[in-house]
C-alpha cells in the first residue's frame, strides 16, 4: 500500500533548555525523522461482516515502513598531556608515515559514550558508536603541556544523557587523559593514565563529574560502577607492574634484606605480635633466606604504586630536585667528616657547620653553590646559644617540630604501663623533693590540681629498645620523662628530667633524676639531659607522629577508598586531593628511608629498632582521638568550655599548634 513521507525537523541545539534545567530530557540535535503514513480506506456499508474481517486482516498484514532511527553528532573536546621528548618521537613517526592517506585501524584512541539510561530491548546501557581520536597524528609542533583535540560522537535520538565514556588506547604508549567535555558543558574530569590496549585490553571507564551515592546511581551506570571497582581490587595474585591500577593490601615485609646478611633482616610488621597499618601489595617474590620477607626493589621489579598514585612529570621533577639538593647538602659535611679525624664535640662544632657550608660557595653556577648551603633556623641566626636556654627548650615543646606530645601531668609520680616482669618497677624515680623548689610555693598536688604541671613522657616508647640501641658503640640513649611548670607568664619551664635505662642489675639504679643546675657541673648535666630529651622528641616526631600517624596510617584508608568508593562517590571526590601522591611518597620511604640500612637507620639514634618503635606505638593508636579538639582534650591541654568559641578552653594560651589548628 502506498504511503506519504513527511519530513520533521528537530531543534537546532544539541541539548535543549529542558535538559539544562533538569538534566533528564533526551538528547536532540540537527535531526530528520521519516514517518510512513498509510492512506485511509473508504468504508463501504455494503461490506459483509466476513468481508470486513478479511479487510482488517489485509490491512494488518501490510508491511509498514519502519521509522528510521534519528541520529545526530555530539561534539567533544578531549584534553591530553604531552611530554616534550615523546612529542618529538611521535612527530618523527608521523613524518615517516606521511604517505598514508587512511587512518590505521590499529592506531588512535577510541571513545564511546555510555548513556545513563537502559535500553529496554537489551537491558543494558545504551552505547554510542566509536569515535576515533588519532591524537598521535594530529600532534601540534609547538604543543603546550596540555592539548585539546576535537572529536565527534554519533548517537541515536533516544540515547539519553551521557553518564560515562569508554576509552581504548590503541597506540603503543600510555597517554594521560586530563578531561573530556561534551558540547561545552558536560564534563568528565579524567586525570588518569590510559594504558595501551595490548597491555590492558579492558576499556577504561570515566564518569561525568556528577556525584552519586550507590543507590542513586542511574540504571545505565550501575554495571559500569561495579565493573570499575572490581578492576581496581584485582585478584590479589601476581607481581604488580607499573602500568597496573590495582589496590590491594599487604603487611610490611619488605623493610629488610636477609639475603644480604643477618644484620639486614627485619621483622614483619603487621599482625597480632607487631600490629601495623597495611601497605599496598606489590607481589614481588620472597627472599631466598626468609620466605616471609619480600625481596627488595631491583631493575626487573621496581617499586610499585598504582599508576594514578605515582608522581606526575612536574611533581616528579620537583621531588627529584629536592632530593638532589638534600643529597648535596649532606655531601659536603660527609667529605669534611671523612677527611678529618675530629668528631663533633661541642655545640660550637655544630654552629661552625652552618658557617662553613654557607661560605663554601666557590662555584661558577649559583644554583650549584646554593645546593651546599644549610638554612639555619632564624632564631639560631640571631642567637647561636639559644638552644641552651630553658625558656627556648619550653617554647620548642609547644612551637617546635613536635608540638603534639606534650600532656598535662595527672598522676605523680608517673607510672609506666610496661610489663614489670620484663622492664622492672613501673614507678618513676621522680619525687616531690625534686620539684618543690621550682613550684612557686605550691606543693606538687596543688600544682596538679591547678593544672600547672605538664610532661613530655617518652619512657614507655623507648625503654624496650634501649639495650639494642646502646649496643652500638656510636649510640647512647635514655628513655626520658620531663616535667614542665606553666609559669605566670604562660610559658613552660622545665623543672626535672628523668633518665631511664632497662633494669639489668638490682643493685644498680636504672633511673636518675636531673634538675636545673646550681653549679658548673650540674649545668652540663642539665644540658646533656635536655639533649637526650630532644633526641627522644626528634625520634618520636619523625618516626611516630610523622611517618606512622601521617603517612603509614593513611595508606590503608586510601586503599580502602579506592577499592570500595567509585569515582562517582561524593566522599571519594572530597578525599582525592588529600590522598594524592601519598602512596608514592610511602613507597619511596620504604625503599630509601625506613628500610634496613636506609637513611633513618643511618642517622637516627634508634638504628635498626626504628620501625619496631613505631609498631609499639601503633598498639594504642586511636584514629578517632587524633583530630582536634579530641586530641587536645585527650592530652589534657584543653578542657570543655561551651562559652569559648570552639567549645574548649586551652590551658596553655600561647600554644600555636592548638590555636591555628582549631581555626580549621
Amino acid at each position: 500500500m502506498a504511503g506519504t513521507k513527511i519530513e520533521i525537523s528537530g531543534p537546532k541545539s544539541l541539548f535543549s533548555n529542558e535538559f539544562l534545567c533538569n538534566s533528564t530530557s533526551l538528547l536532540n540535535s540537527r535531526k530528520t525523522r521519516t514517518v510512513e503514513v498509510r492512506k485511509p480506506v473508504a468504508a463501504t456499508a455494503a461490506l459483509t461482516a466476513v468481508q470486513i474481517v478479511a479487510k482488517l486482516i489485509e490491512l494488518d498484514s501490510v508491511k509498514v515502513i519502519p521509522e528510521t532511527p534519528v541520529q545526530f553528532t555530539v561534539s567533544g573536546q578531549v584534553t591530553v598531556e604531552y611530554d616534550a621528548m615523546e612529542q618529538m618521537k611521535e612527530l618523527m613517526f608521523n613524518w615517516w608515515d606521511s604517505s598514508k592517506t587512511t587512518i590505521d585501524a590499529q592506531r588512535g584512541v577510541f571513545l564511546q559514550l555510555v548513556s545513563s539510561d537502559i535500553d529496554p530491548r537489551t537491558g543494558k546501557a545504551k552505547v554510542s558508536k566509536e569515535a576515533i581520536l588519532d591524537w598521535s597524528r594530529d600532534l601540534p609542533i609547538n604543543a603546550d603541556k596540555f592539548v585539546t583535540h576535537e572529536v565527534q560522537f554519533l548517537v541515536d535520538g533516544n540515547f539519553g544523557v551521557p553518564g560515562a565514556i569508554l576509552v581504548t588506547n590503541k597506540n603503543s604508549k600510555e597517554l594521560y587523559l586530563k578531561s573530556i567535555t561534551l558540547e561545552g558543558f558536560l564534563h568528565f574530569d579524567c586525570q588518569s593514565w590510559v594504558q595501551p590496549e595490548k597491555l590492558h585490553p579492558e576499556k577504561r571507564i570515566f564518569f561525568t563529574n556528577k556525584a552519586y551515592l550507590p543507590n542513586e546511581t542511574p540504571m545505565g551506570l550501575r554495571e559500569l560502577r561495579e565493573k570499575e571497582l572490581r578492576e581496581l581490587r584485582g585478584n590479589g595474585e601476581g607481581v604488580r607492574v607499573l602500568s597496573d591500577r590495582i589496590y590491594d593490601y599487604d603487611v610490611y615485609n619488605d623493610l629488610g634484606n636477609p639475603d644480604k646478611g643477618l644484620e639486614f633482616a627485619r621483622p614483619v610488621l603487621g599482625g597480632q605480635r607487631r600490629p601495623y597499618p597495611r601497605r599496598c601489595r606489590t607481589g614481588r617474590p620472597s627472599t631466598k633466606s626468609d620466605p616471609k620477607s619480600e625481596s627488595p626493589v631491583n631493575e626487573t621489579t621496581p617499586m610499585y604504586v598504582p599508576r594514578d598514585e605515582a608522581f606526575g612529570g612536574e611533581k616528579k621533577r620537583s621531588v627529584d630536585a629536592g632530593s638532589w639538593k638534600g643529597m648535596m647538602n649532606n655531601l659536603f659535611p660527609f667529605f669534611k667528616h671523612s677527611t678529618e679525624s675530629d668528631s663533633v664535640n661541642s655545640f660550637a662544632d655544630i654552629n661552625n657547620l652552618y658557617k662553613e657550608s654557607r661560605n663554601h660557595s666557590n662555584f661558577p653556577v649559583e644554583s650549584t653553590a646554593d645546593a651546599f648551603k644549610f638554612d639555619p633556623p632564624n632564631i639560631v641566626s640571631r642567637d647561636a646559644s639559644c638552644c641552651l636556654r630553658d625558656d627556648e627548650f619550653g617554647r620548642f615543646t609547644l612551637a617546635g617540630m613536635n608540638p603534639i606530645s606534650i600532656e598535662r601531668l595527672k598522676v605523680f609520680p608517673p607510672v609506666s604501663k610496661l610489663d614489670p616482669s620484663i622492664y622492672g618497677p613501673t614507678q618513676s624515680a621522680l619525687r616531690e623533693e625534686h620539684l618543690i623548689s621550682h613550684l612557686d610555693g605550691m606543693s606538687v598536688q596543688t600544682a596538679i590540681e591547678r593544672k600547672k604541671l605538664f610532661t613530655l613522657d617518652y619512657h614507655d616508647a623507648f625503654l624496650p629498645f634501649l639495650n639494642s640501641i646502646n649496643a652500638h658503640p656510636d649510640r647512647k640513649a635514655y628513655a626520658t620523662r620531663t616535667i614542665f611548670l606553666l609559669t605566670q607568664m604562660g610559658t613552660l619551664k622545665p623543672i626535672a628530667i628523668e633518665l631511664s635505662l632497662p633494669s639489668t642489675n638490682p643493685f644498680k639504679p636504672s633511673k636518675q633524676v636531673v634538675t636545673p643546675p646550681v653549679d658548673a657541673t650540674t649545668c652540663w648535666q642539665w644540658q646533656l639531659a635536655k639533649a637526650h630529651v630532644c633526641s627522644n622528641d626528634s625520634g618520636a616526631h619523625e618516626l611516630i607522629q610523622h611517618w606512622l600517624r601521617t603517612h603509614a596510617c593513611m595508606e590503608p584508608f586510601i586503599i580502602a577508598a579506592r577499592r570500595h568508593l567509585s569515582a562517582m562517590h561524593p566522599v571519594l571526590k572530597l578525599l582525592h586531593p588529600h590522598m594524592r601522591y601519598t602512596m608514592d611518597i610511602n613507597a619511596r620511604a620504604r625503599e630509601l628511608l625506613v628500610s634496613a640500612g636506609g637513611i633513618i637507620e643511618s642517622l637516627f639514634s634508634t638504628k635498626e629498632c626504628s620501625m619496631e618503635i613505631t609498631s609499639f606505638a601503633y598498639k594504642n593508636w586511636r584514629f578517632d582521638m587524633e583530630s582536634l579538639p579530641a586530641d587536645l582534650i585527650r592530652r589534657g591541654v584543653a578542657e570543655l568550655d561551651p562559652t569559648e568559641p570552639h567549645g574548649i578552653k586551652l590551658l596553655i594560651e600561647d600554644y600555636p599548634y592548638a590555636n591555628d589548628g582549631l581555626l580549621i
Side-chain angles (χ1 to χ4, degrees):
M1 183 167 62
T4 303
K5 294 183 178 179
I6 301 176
E7 301 290 335
I8 303 176
S9 297
K12 298 299 182 182
S13 63
L14 174 57
F15 297 111
S16 65
N17 290 331
E18 182 182 357
F19 172 80
L20 292 174
C21 296
N22 54 38
S23 298
T24 57
S25 67
L26 300 178
L27 293 173
N28 298 290
S29 171
R30 301 179 288 277
K31 60 189 180 182
T32 301
R33 294 187 296 183
T34 303
V35 180
E36 186 72 14
V37 180
R38 290 195 292 252
K39 291 183 178 180
V41 180
T44 305
L47 291 176
T48 64
V50 174
Q51 289 173 321
I52 292 174
V53 172
K55 181 59 68 176
L56 290 174
I57 293 174
E58 177 187 350
L59 290 172
D60 189 64
S61 64
V62 172
K63 298 294 185 181
V64 180
I65 298 175
E67 181 178 339
T68 304
V70 180
Q71 292 186 330
F72 53 85
T73 58
V74 178
S75 298
Q77 294 79 41
V78 181
T79 303
V80 297
E81 179 182 1
Y82 288 109
D83 180 87
M85 294 297 295
E86 294 300 323
Q87 177 181 343
M88 294 304 300
K89 294 178 183 178
E90 291 291 344
L91 282 172
M92 293 176 65
F93 284 115
N94 290 347
W95 291 331
W96 181 265
D97 294 338
S98 59
S99 59
K100 296 184 179 181
T101 58
T102 59
I103 295 177
D104 187 350
Q106 300 304 314
R107 293 187 61 183
V109 180
F110 291 69
L111 306 100
Q112 287 179 283
L113 294 181
V114 181
S115 173
S116 299
D117 300 333
I118 290 290
D119 189 334
R121 295 172 300 175
T122 63
K124 301 287 186 180
K126 302 172 185 177
V127 181
S128 74
K129 294 182 179 179
E130 285 186 331
I132 303 176
L133 174 67
D134 189 15
W135 68 286
S136 62
R137 290 177 178 273
D138 193 32
L139 189 65
I141 296 178
N142 296 318
D144 295 327
K145 181 181 179 182
F146 293 104
V147 178
T148 299
H149 301 278
E150 297 291 331
V151 66
Q152 301 289 328
F153 296 93
L154 188 64
V155 299
D156 293 338
N158 61 351
F159 185 79
V161 180
I165 288 182
L166 304 179
V167 181
T168 304
N169 178 14
K170 293 192 176 182
N171 291 313
S172 59
K173 297 179 180 179
E174 66 177 4
L175 69 95
Y176 186 80
L177 187 57
K178 185 177 186 291
S179 64
I180 301 173
T181 303
L182 300 182
E183 294 295 330
F185 67 88
L186 189 59
H187 298 288
F188 298 77
D189 189 24
C190 306
Q191 304 285 356
S192 180
W193 293 94
V194 181
Q195 300 301 323
E197 185 183 35
K198 62 183 180 181
L199 294 180
H200 294 271
E202 294 288 338
K203 296 180 179 180
R204 282 297 309 276
I205 305 167
F206 296 101
F207 299 100
T208 59
N209 287 3
K210 187 170 182 180
Y212 295 102
L213 292 171
N215 62 337
E216 298 172 345
T217 308
M219 295 300 296
L221 305 180
R222 294 191 175 187
E223 185 176 342
L224 288 181
R225 184 174 188 148
E226 290 301 320
K227 182 175 184 292
E228 182 205 30
L229 290 176
R230 286 195 302 270
E231 292 175 357
L232 293 174
R233 293 182 192 124
N235 58 9
E237 299 176 357
V239 179
R240 300 270 65 87
V241 295
L242 297 182
S243 60
D244 285 344
R245 297 173 58 245
I246 295 176
Y247 297 78
D248 202 1
Y249 300 101
D250 206 347
V251 295
Y252 275 71
N253 61 349
D254 62 338
L255 301 177
N257 185 9
D259 290 347
K260 193 176 177 180
L262 188 60
E263 66 274 19
F264 291 96
R266 297 293 180 268
V268 175
L269 303 183
Q272 272 192 329
R273 186 179 178 189
R274 295 184 180 90
Y276 217 68
R278 292 298 187 263
R279 65 170 176 94
C280 185
R281 178 185 176 276
T282 66
R284 294 198 303 272
S286 60
T287 60
K288 298 177 181 178
S289 312
D290 182 6
K292 293 183 179 180
S293 296
E294 188 174 270
S295 59
V297 171
N298 54 51
E299 292 183 0
T300 57
T301 55
M303 180 61 75
Y304 166 77
V305 293
R307 186 64 184 96
D308 291 337
E309 305 294 337
F311 289 139
E314 192 171 313
K315 178 69 174 178
K316 186 176 186 301
R317 285 189 289 271
S318 175
V319 172
D320 290 344
S323 300
W324 170 253
K325 184 173 182 180
M327 183 186 70
M328 296 300 292
N329 271 344
N330 287 278
L331 192 62
F332 174 67
F334 172 78
F335 285 141
K336 182 178 184 296
H337 178 72
S338 300
T339 57
E340 296 180 4
S341 58
D342 295 337
S343 58
V344 175
N345 294 313
S346 66
F347 290 105
D349 291 341
I350 298 175
N351 291 329
N352 289 334
L353 187 61
Y354 286 117
K355 296 177 183 177
E356 292 174 10
S357 299
R358 290 199 303 272
N359 294 331
H360 194 81
S361 57
N362 298 320
F363 295 93
V365 183
E366 184 178 354
S367 60
T368 308
D370 291 340
F372 283 88
K373 293 181 181 178
F374 285 89
D375 297 322
N378 289 333
I379 192 167
V380 173
S381 300
R382 296 194 299 267
D383 181 4
S385 62
C386 66
C387 55
L388 301 178
R389 300 199 311 261
D390 286 357
D391 61 336
E392 178 62 17
F393 182 77
R395 188 195 70 84
F396 195 73
T397 303
L398 295 174
M401 62 182 176
N402 182 26
I404 55 179
S405 291
I406 186 73
E407 298 182 0
R408 181 161 56 87
L409 184 65
K410 300 175 183 178
V411 177
F412 188 85
V415 178
S416 170
K417 297 179 181 178
L418 298 175
D419 186 348
S421 65
I422 301 175
Y423 301 107
T426 59
Q427 199 170 47
S428 167
L430 286 162
R431 296 294 181 265
E432 183 153 359
E433 55 265 27
H434 295 127
L435 311 182
I436 193 67
S437 61
H438 305 283
L439 298 181
D440 298 333
M442 294 181 289
S443 67
V444 172
Q445 187 58 36
T446 301
I448 290 176
E449 292 172 357
R450 293 182 183 179
K451 302 172 183 177
K452 296 293 185 180
L453 292 180
F454 294 82
T455 181
L456 205 58
D457 192 340
Y458 293 123
H459 179 275
D460 289 5
F462 286 88
L463 189 70
F465 307 96
L466 291 181
N467 284 335
S468 296
I469 294 171
N470 291 329
H472 294 276
D474 59 346
R475 296 292 190 274
K476 184 62 178 179
Y478 290 93
T480 64
R481 281 192 182 107
T482 309
I483 307 298
F484 294 89
L485 173 69
L486 181 62
T487 68
Q488 295 180 358
M489 298 178 61
T491 60
L492 289 183
K493 174 185 176 183
I495 58 176
I497 297 173
E498 180 185 40
L499 304 175
S500 300
L501 292 172
S503 181
T504 56
N505 186 344
F507 302 102
K508 183 179 180 181
S510 60
K511 302 175 182 179
Q512 57 179 309
V513 176
V514 183
T515 56
V518 294
D519 54 33
T521 301
T522 55
C523 175
W524 287 109
Q525 289 177 341
W526 179 245
Q527 296 298 344
L528 288 172
K530 288 193 296 183
H532 280 290
V533 175
C534 289
S535 177
N536 281 182
D537 192 59
S538 175
H541 157 69
E542 194 63 52
L543 296 173
I544 299 174
Q545 313 293 11
H546 184 186
W547 162 252
L548 173 66
R549 295 178 180 172
T550 304
H551 286 275
C553 284
M554 278 306 301
E555 186 151 346
F557 284 92
I558 298 172
I559 297 172
R562 292 296 191 182
R563 288 170 61 89
H564 296 284
L565 299 180
S566 165
M568 291 187 286
H569 203 292
V571 172
L572 187 72
K573 289 181 178 293
L574 290 171
L575 289 177
H576 179 260
H578 305 283
M579 302 188 306
R580 196 178 185 193
Y581 300 138
T582 298
M583 293 182 69
D584 198 332
I585 294 171
N586 291 1
R588 290 170 179 244
R590 296 200 313 273
E591 182 180 357
L592 301 172
L593 294 178
V594 299
S595 56
I599 294 175
I600 294 294
E601 290 190 2
S602 300
L603 299 180
F604 279 45
S605 63
T606 48
K607 290 291 281 188
E608 71 276 2
C609 303
S610 298
M611 290 297 281
E612 280 195 86
I613 289 175
T614 64
S615 173
F616 196 78
Y618 184 65
K619 290 180 180 180
N620 300 318
W621 185 74
R622 285 273 303 271
F623 178 79
D624 60 332
M625 300 301 292
E626 290 298 312
S627 61
L628 301 184
D631 169 65
L632 302 175
I633 297 172
R634 174 183 61 83
R635 291 190 283 119
V637 296
E639 54 189 9
L640 294 173
D641 187 346
T643 64
E644 293 291 326
H646 305 288
I648 65 168
K649 177 183 178 181
L650 291 176
L651 300 181
I652 307 174
E653 293 184 5
D654 187 12
Y655 189 2
Y657 168 78
N659 293 325
D660 295 346
L662 288 172
L663 294 177
I664 57 173

